[in-house]
C-alpha cells in the first residue's frame, strides 16, 4: 500500500498573524481575562491556551558536556467544568543512567476572580507527583489547586537533558484553541538539526545568526596514578548561534472525527533530529537519519538485539512442543499459541526489554518487547525464518520521519514466499496476520539478522466479513417474530471477542437488545468463542415491536428492521484527514420475510448496484417477492483500509445512498 505523506506534510494553510506589541508573560492575569465567559472564536471550547511558549538553548560544562534546556510556559483559561482536566499536566522525562533528565517546576498557580479582584493560589508540594512508567521513562504530574469555571492557570517548567540527539517535539495546536504559540531554538554552530513539520497549519518562521560566548570552568584531567590536584581555570569560547522563532496565532482546537486513526498525526507540530556535529578542531560527524541507520542503532541496543539472540531458556520446551510437527504453519501456530498462553502481557509498550526475555519467560509475564522478541527467537529455534518488526502504535502516531523515537512497539514476522505472516503474542484472541488494532498503523520496519531492514505494510488487505441471515414473520398487529444468525470473520471476529467476551451472558444480552431498538432476545447460542481459527457464530430468536409502521390498511417495513445503517457517520462539509476504516470489511444480509395473512405486496424497493470510483466500495441491493414471501440480499463493502481525504465527498455520498436505500420501505396492503 502506498500512502502519500503529502496528505500530512503539505501546507494547506499559513497562519502568520503576529500580534504586534503584545507580550506573553506569566503572572500578568487581568480582570478582563477572568471575566471572559466563552472563547472568542470557539464559543463551545471547554478551555483555551491564552499562550504557550517553548524555548530550547544549550549549556556546557566540562563534566557533562552540552546539556539541552527546554523551557515551557503556558497560560490556560478554563471555561467550563469539562475543562477542569486541563489543570492537570504530565511531563514525560528520561530516567536511565548518564542520560537521566531533570524537571524543574516554577510559577505554577491558579488565578480566580474574588469580589472583583484577582486572587492567586500557588500549587503546593502535594500537587506534584512522580510516576515511574518503566526503567526508562517517568512522568512528573502536576495538579493545579482551586480550579473553577473561569479560572486561569499558569505553569512553567524546564527539562534539563544530556540527550541532544533530538529536541522535544513542539505542538502548535492542541485539542483546545491556542491563541498564541511560540517556539524558539538557540542552536550553537556545533550542531545542525533537521526540522520536520507536520499538520495543516504551518507557523511563521524567522531566523537570525548572532555571535555568542560561553564561560565554563576547565580542569585538566588527572592521569592514572597522579595524586596532584589540577588547577581550575575559567575558559571563554566564542561561537555563532542560530536563533529560530516559530510563531502561530489563533489556532483552532483539533476536533475528533469518525474513522480517524490518531488525530495527533494531523496536529500542527515540529520535531528536530540532530544530523551533524562539528566540534572545533575535530572531524565533522554526520549522523545519518535514514531508516537503515535508525534501525541498526535500535538493533544494537543491549535491550533489543542481544535479548533476541539469547538461547537456552526455552530449548527443551520448544523441542517437545514441535516434536512430530512437519508443516510450517503447524509449527508457527503451535509456538504462537504457546507464547500467548504462557506469557501474559503486562500492558507496557516499547521496543526495549525491561527485565529481559529469560526473566519474562520465568515469571510468565513481560512487556511487548520481551514477549514478541521471545516469540521470534523461539520460531528461529524451530527453523522458521522469523524477524522482529518495529511498529508505532496508533496512539503513538504515524512514523513520518526517521527517528529512534518514532517506534514504541515490536511484533514478529515470518517471511514466506513473497509475503509475511505478522504475529503479536500480546493479544490472546489474535491470529496469524490478525493483529490487535493498536498495531494497525500504516507502516512498520522489519529488521533482519544481518542488519538490513525493509518497510512493512501493517494495514490489512483481506476483507473481514460480517454475515447476517435473518428470517422473520410480520404479524398483522405490527409485531415481528424472527430468527437471526450472525457470523464474524478475521478482524470482525477479533473485535467481537475483545469487546464481548468479557461480558456476562446477561449483560451481553441486555446490551444486544438495547443496541437493536429494544428487541426481545431468546434462545441465544454462540459458537467458537475461543476457537480463533474459526468464525464467531451467534444465533438467537427475537421479537420486534418497534420497526413496523401501520397506517390505515397498509404496513410499512424496512427489510433489515433494526439492522443496517440509520444515520450517516460523515457529517462535516469538508474533511482534511484521511478516512481510516482500520481494515477492509463486508456486511452481507440475507433476509427471508413472511407477509402476514390477509396482506399482499403492494410495492418493493427497486434493486440497485453501486460501485464507487477508485475501487473504494460497493453496494448491491436485490429484492424479490411472490405471494406471501419476500427475499432480500444486501451487500455493503469498503475495500480499502485507508481512504485519502480527497475522496471524502465520494465516501460521504456513497454512505448516504446506502442509508437511503436500506431504509426504503416495503409496502404491504390489506386484502379487502
Amino acid at each position: 500500500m502506498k500512502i502519500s505523506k503529502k496528505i500530512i506534510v503539505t501546507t494547506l494553510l499559513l497562519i502568520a498573524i503576529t500580534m504586534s506589541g503584545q507580550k506573553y508573560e506569566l503572572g500578568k492575569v487581568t480582570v478582563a481575562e477572568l471575566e471572559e465567559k466563552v472563547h472568542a472564536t470557539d464559543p463551545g471550547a471547554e478551555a483555551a491556551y491564552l499562550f504557550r511558549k517553548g524555548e530550547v538553548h544549550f549549556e556546557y560544562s566540562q563534566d557533562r558536556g552540552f546539556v539541552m534546556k527546554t523551557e515551557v510556559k503556558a497560560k490556560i483559561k478554563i471555561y467550563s467544568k469539562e475543562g477542569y482536566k486541563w489543570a492537570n499536566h504530565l511531563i514525560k522525562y528520561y530516567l536511565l543512567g548518564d542520560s537521566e533528565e531533570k524537571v524543574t517546576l516554577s510559577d505554577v498557580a491558579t488565578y480566580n476572580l474574588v469580589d472583583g479582584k484577582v486572587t492567586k493560589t500557588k500549587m503546593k508540594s502535594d500537587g506534584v507527583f512522580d510516576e515511574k512508567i518503566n526503567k526508562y521513562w517517568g512522568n512528573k504530574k502536576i495538579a493545579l489547586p482551586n480550579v473553577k469555571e473561569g479560572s486561569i492557570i499558569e505553569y512553567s517548567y524546564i527539562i534539563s537533558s544530556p540527550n541532544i540527539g533530538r529536541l522535544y517535539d513542539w505542538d502548535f495546536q492542541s485539542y483546545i484553541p491556542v491563541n498564541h504559540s511560540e517556539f524558539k531554538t538557540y542552536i550553537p554552530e556545533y550542531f545542525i538539526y533537521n526540522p520536520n513539520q507536520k499538520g495543516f497549519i504551518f507557523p511563521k518562521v524567522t531566523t537570525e545568526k548572532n555571535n555568542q560566548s560561553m564561560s565554563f570552568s576547565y580542569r585538566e584531567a588527572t592521569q592514572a596514578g597522579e595524586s596532584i590536584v589540577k588547577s581550575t581555570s575559567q575558559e571563554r569560547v566564542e561561537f555563532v548561534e542560530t536563533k529560530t522563532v516559530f510563531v502561530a496565532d489563533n489556532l483552532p482546537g483539533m476536533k475528533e472525527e469518525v474513522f480517524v486513526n490518531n488525530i495527533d498525526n494531523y496536529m500542527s507540530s515540529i520535531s528536530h533530529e540532530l544530523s551533524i556535529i562539528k566540534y572545533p578542531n575535530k572531524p565533522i560527524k554526520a549522523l545519518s537519519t535514514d531508516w537503515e541507520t535508525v534501525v541498526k542503532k535500535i538493533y544494537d541496543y543491549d535491550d533489543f538485539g542481544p535479548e533476541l539472540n539469547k538461547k537456552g531458556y526455552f530449548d527443551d520446551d520448544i523441542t517437545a512442543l514441535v516434536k512430530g510437527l512437519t508443516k510450517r504453519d503447524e509449527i508457527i501456530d503451535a509456538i504462537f499459541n504457546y507464547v500467548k498462553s504462557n506469557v501474559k502481557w503486562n500492558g507496557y509498550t516499547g521496543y526495549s526489554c525491561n527485565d529481559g526475555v529469560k526473566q519474562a519467560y520465568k515469571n510468565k509475564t513481560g512487556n511487548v518487547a520481551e514477549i514478541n522478541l521471545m516469540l521470534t527467537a523461539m520460531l528461529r529455534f524451530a527453523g522458521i525464518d522469523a524477524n522482529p518488526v518495529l511498529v508505532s502504535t496508533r496512539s503513538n502516531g504515524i512514523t513520518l520521519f526517521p527517528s529512534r523515537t518514532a517506534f514504541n512497539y515490536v511484533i514478529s514476522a515470518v517471511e514466506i514466499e513473497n509475503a509475511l505472516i505478522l504475529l503479536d503474542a500480546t493479544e490472546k484472541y489474535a491470529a496469524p496476520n490478525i493483529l490487535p488494532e493498536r498495531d494497525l498503523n500504516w507502516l512498520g520496519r522489519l529488521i533482519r539478522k544481518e542488519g538490513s531492514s525493509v518497510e512493512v505494510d501493517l494495514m490489512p488487505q483481506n476483507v473481514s466479513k460480517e454475515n447476517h441471515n435473518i428470517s422473520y414473520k410480520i404479524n398483522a398487529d405490527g409485531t415481528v417474530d424472527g430468527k437471526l444468525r450472525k457470523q464474524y470473520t478475521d478482524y470482525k471476529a477479533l473485535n467481537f471477542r475483545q469487546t464481548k467476551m468479557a461480558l456476562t451472558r446477561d449483560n451481553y444480552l441486555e446490551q444486544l437488545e438495547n443496541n437493536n431498538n429494544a428487541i426481545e432476545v431468546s434462545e441465544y447460542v454462540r459458537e467458537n468463542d475461543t476457537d480463533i481459527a474459526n468464525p464467531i457464530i451467534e444465533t438467537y430468536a427475537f421479537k420486534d415491536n418497534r420497526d413496523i409502521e401501520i397506517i390505515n390498511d397498509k404496513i410499512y417495513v424496512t427489510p433489515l428492521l433494526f439492522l443496517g445503517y440509520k444515520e450517516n457517520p460523515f457529517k462535516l462539509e469538508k474533511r482534511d484527514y484521511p478516512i481510516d476504516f482500520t481494515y477492509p470489511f463486508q456486511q452481507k444480509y440475507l433476509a427471508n420475510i413472511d407477509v402476514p395473512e390477509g396482506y399482499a405486496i403492494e410495492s418493493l424497493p427497486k434493486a440497485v448496484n453501486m460501485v464507487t470510483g477508485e475501487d473504494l466500495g460497493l453496494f448491491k441491493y436485490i429484492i424479490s417477492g411472490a405471494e406471501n414471501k419476500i427475499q432480500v440480499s444486501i451487500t455493503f463493502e469498503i475495500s480499502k483500509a485507508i481512504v485519502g481525504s480527497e475522496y471524502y465527498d465520494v465516501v460521504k455520498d456513497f454512505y448516504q445512498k446506502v442509508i437511503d436505500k436500506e431504509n426504503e420501505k416495503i409496502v404491504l396492503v390489506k386484502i379487502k
Side-chain angles (χ1 to χ4, degrees):
M1 176 185 65
K2 298 294 182 183
I3 302 169
S4 173
K5 292 175 182 175
K6 291 180 180 179
I7 292 174
I8 299 173
V9 198
T10 299
T11 308
L12 298 185
L13 180 63
L14 178 65
I15 290 185
I17 308 171
T18 304
M19 300 179 180
S20 59
Q22 185 171 352
K23 294 183 178 180
Y24 299 94
E25 299 176 356
L26 297 180
K28 306 294 184 181
V29 176
T30 67
V31 172
E33 288 174 325
L34 288 167
E35 286 180 336
E36 187 178 64
K37 299 299 183 185
V38 296
H39 189 264
T41 60
D42 186 356
E46 60 190 28
Y49 279 100
L50 302 185
F51 70 78
R52 186 168 181 265
K53 298 168 62 176
E55 182 175 304
V56 177
H57 66 275
F58 293 78
E59 296 178 358
Y60 181 82
S61 69
Q62 185 180 0
D63 295 334
R64 299 194 71 190
F66 279 100
V67 173
M68 181 175 66
K69 302 274 189 173
T70 303
E71 183 175 10
V72 176
K73 297 179 179 180
K75 181 178 183 179
I76 301 174
K77 170 72 176 183
I78 307 295
Y79 292 109
S80 66
K81 291 180 180 178
E82 290 74 19
Y84 286 5
K85 59 180 174 286
W86 292 94
N88 301 316
H89 190 68
L90 290 179
I91 306 163
K92 188 177 180 181
Y93 62 100
Y94 197 74
L95 292 173
L96 197 61
D98 294 337
S99 297
E100 183 179 4
E101 296 174 340
K102 182 181 179 182
V103 179
T104 306
L105 295 167
S106 62
D107 299 316
V108 184
T110 303
Y111 295 83
N112 287 297
L113 197 61
V114 179
D115 297 328
K117 294 182 180 180
V118 178
T119 63
K120 178 180 179 180
T121 307
K122 291 185 178 181
M123 185 185 70
K124 297 180 181 179
S125 58
D126 59 1
V128 183
F129 311 89
D130 274 300
E131 174 191 43
K132 187 175 181 180
I133 302 172
N134 52 40
K135 70 178 182 180
Y136 300 101
W137 293 98
N139 274 330
K140 189 173 286 290
K141 298 181 177 182
I142 57 176
L144 283 96
N146 199 26
V147 175
K148 306 173 183 178
E149 292 181 69
S151 296
I152 286 177
I153 62 172
E154 294 184 340
Y155 57 80
S156 174
Y157 61 86
I158 296 175
I159 303 176
S160 301
S161 175
N163 307 309
I164 63 172
R166 180 182 173 92
L167 275 58
Y168 273 88
D169 293 354
W170 185 259
D171 294 330
F172 295 97
Q173 281 183 283
S174 179
Y175 291 95
I176 54 177
V178 180
N179 293 1
H180 178 80
S181 184
E182 180 180 314
F183 185 56
K184 296 180 181 178
T185 62
Y186 297 85
I187 309 295
E189 62 181 271
Y190 315 123
F191 309 124
I192 295 178
Y193 288 85
N194 287 335
N196 296 305
Q197 297 186 58
K198 68 179 179 68
F200 298 98
I201 300 174
F202 284 4
K204 179 183 178 181
V205 184
T206 57
T207 302
E208 61 182 66
K209 293 184 181 294
N210 299 300
N211 293 321
Q212 297 288 355
S213 64
M214 60 182 174
S215 299
F216 60 94
S217 298
Y218 173 78
R219 184 176 64 250
E220 185 180 346
T222 302
Q223 302 299 318
E226 287 187 324
S227 59
I228 301 173
V229 177
K230 303 289 185 177
S231 62
T232 300
S233 62
Q234 286 297 118
E235 299 291 330
R236 182 181 178 85
V237 176
E238 294 185 350
F239 61 95
V240 176
E241 180 182 75
T242 301
K243 174 186 176 182
T244 306
V245 181
F246 305 84
V247 176
D249 291 300
N250 301 326
L251 296 112
M254 299 292 288
K255 303 296 184 184
E256 291 285 358
E257 298 181 19
V258 293
F259 300 114
V260 172
N261 174 330
N262 178 352
I263 201 166
D264 288 352
N265 292 325
Y266 315 106
M267 186 177 289
S268 176
S269 67
I270 189 165
S271 61
H272 290 79
E273 196 85 15
L274 184 61
S275 62
I276 294 175
I277 299 176
K278 45 179 184 178
Y279 290 132
N281 305 316
K282 289 188 177 182
I284 293 176
K285 184 179 181 181
L287 304 174
S288 176
T289 52
D290 59 87
W291 282 120
E292 290 293 337
T293 304
V294 167
V295 166
K296 187 178 186 308
K297 286 181 179 178
I298 292 174
Y299 192 87
D300 291 340
Y301 284 166
D302 290 342
D303 294 329
F304 192 91
E307 290 288 336
L308 178 64
N309 296 322
K310 286 182 178 178
K311 298 178 181 178
Y313 62 97
F314 58 72
D315 295 17
D316 293 343
D317 294 333
I318 298 304
T319 298
L321 179 70
V322 301
K323 184 178 181 180
L325 301 180
T326 57
K327 294 182 180 179
R328 178 185 61 202
D329 289 350
E330 290 178 339
I331 295 172
I332 293 170
D333 286 347
I335 295 174
F336 183 45
N337 290 328
Y338 177 80
V339 175
K340 287 195 298 177
S341 300
N342 286 277
V343 188
K344 303 303 179 185
W345 182 37
N346 60 19
Y348 288 113
T349 57
Y351 54 69
S352 298
C353 294
N354 192 28
D355 297 322
V357 289
K358 287 187 176 181
Q359 196 64 36
Y361 190 66
K362 178 181 178 181
N363 295 341
K364 296 185 179 297
T365 183
N367 68 7
V368 164
E370 288 156 349
I371 289 173
N372 285 325
L373 292 181
M374 179 193 304
L375 170 64
T376 304
M378 289 177 175
L379 290 167
R380 287 179 177 180
F381 177 79
I384 302 297
D385 185 11
N387 292 296
V389 176
L390 293 167
V391 171
S392 174
T393 59
R394 294 169 78 88
S395 62
N396 192 57
I398 298 167
T399 54
L400 293 174
F401 312 109
S403 168
R404 281 169 288 173
T405 60
F407 302 108
N408 72 324
Y409 204 90
V410 60
I411 61 174
S412 185
V414 174
E415 296 195 63
I416 58 176
E417 301 80 12
N418 302 315
L420 293 174
I421 300 173
L422 301 177
L423 305 165
D424 185 349
T426 66
E427 171 53 60
K428 66 179 179 179
Y429 295 126
N433 277 332
I434 305 296
L435 301 170
E437 186 174 321
R438 58 181 172 269
D439 301 357
L440 305 182
N441 196 32
W442 291 27
L443 301 170
R445 200 89 195 172
L446 181 144
I447 316 175
R448 296 194 176 96
K449 295 178 184 178
E450 74 278 6
S452 67
S453 71
V454 63
E455 198 172 68
V456 173
D457 185 357
L458 298 169
M459 301 308 291
Q461 304 300 316
N462 294 332
V463 175
S464 295
K465 297 180 179 180
E466 183 180 330
N467 295 327
H468 304 73
N469 285 280
I470 182 170
S471 306
Y472 64 87
K473 176 185 178 183
I474 302 173
N475 301 313
D477 63 357
T479 61
V480 171
D481 294 299
K483 289 192 174 182
L484 180 60
R485 182 180 189 271
K486 295 183 183 179
Q487 178 176 289
Y488 306 87
T489 70
D490 296 344
Y491 281 97
K492 289 287 187 180
L494 173 61
N495 181 263
F496 185 97
R497 290 184 172 106
Q498 288 176 322
T499 58
K500 309 302 183 187
M501 296 287 288
L503 299 175
T504 65
R505 179 185 175 90
D506 288 344
N507 285 342
Y508 175 67
L509 293 181
E510 181 181 1
Q511 185 184 97
L512 182 65
E513 291 178 337
N514 291 338
N515 291 345
N516 289 284
N517 205 17
I519 60 173
E520 297 176 20
V521 172
S522 61
E523 303 174 30
Y524 182 84
V525 177
R526 189 162 67 209
E527 302 174 44
N528 304 327
D529 277 5
T530 58
D531 183 5
I532 61 174
N534 289 301
I536 280 276
I537 298 172
E538 57 177 355
T539 58
Y540 55 86
F542 66 89
K543 189 173 186 66
D544 185 354
N545 300 313
R546 297 193 177 189
D547 287 294
I548 299 293
E549 187 177 18
I550 300 177
I551 302 176
N552 298 326
D553 291 332
K554 295 183 179 181
I555 293 176
Y556 299 84
V557 57
T558 56
L560 296 185
L561 297 175
F562 48 85
L563 302 172
Y565 292 95
K566 305 299 181 184
E567 185 178 16
N568 194 337
F570 300 102
K571 302 182 187 302
L572 298 180
E573 290 298 318
K574 178 180 176 295
R575 175 171 170 143
D576 293 324
Y577 318 134
I579 303 167
D580 188 333
F581 290 106
T582 308
Y583 48 83
F585 64 89
Q586 181 190 89
Q587 295 168 336
K588 193 166 187 177
Y589 304 88
L590 294 174
N592 289 288
I593 306 167
D594 287 343
V595 176
E597 187 176 348
Y599 282 81
I601 301 170
E602 181 178 271
S603 65
L604 299 174
K606 293 182 179 179
V608 70
N609 189 355
M610 293 190 295
V611 180
T612 66
E614 302 297 321
D615 192 31
L616 301 180
L618 62 85
F619 179 73
K620 295 180 181 179
Y621 185 110
I622 301 170
I623 187 167
S624 61
E627 296 181 355
N628 65 339
K629 298 284 186 181
I630 300 172
Q631 290 187 323
V632 184
S633 173
I634 298 175
T635 303
F636 172 69
E637 182 173 314
I638 293 294
S639 307
K640 294 183 182 297
I642 299 176
V643 178
S645 58
E646 64 270 30
Y647 297 108
Y648 175 70
D649 288 341
V650 173
V651 174
K652 180 181 178 182
D653 180 65
F654 177 59
Y655 261 77
Q656 192 57 54
K657 288 177 178 176
V658 168
I659 292 164
D660 291 343
K661 194 65 190 177
E662 286 186 350
N663 286 281
E664 286 184 5
K665 304 284 188 179
I666 294 171
V667 181
L668 308 177
V669 62
K670 192 170 187 179
I671 302 171
K672 296 181 180 178

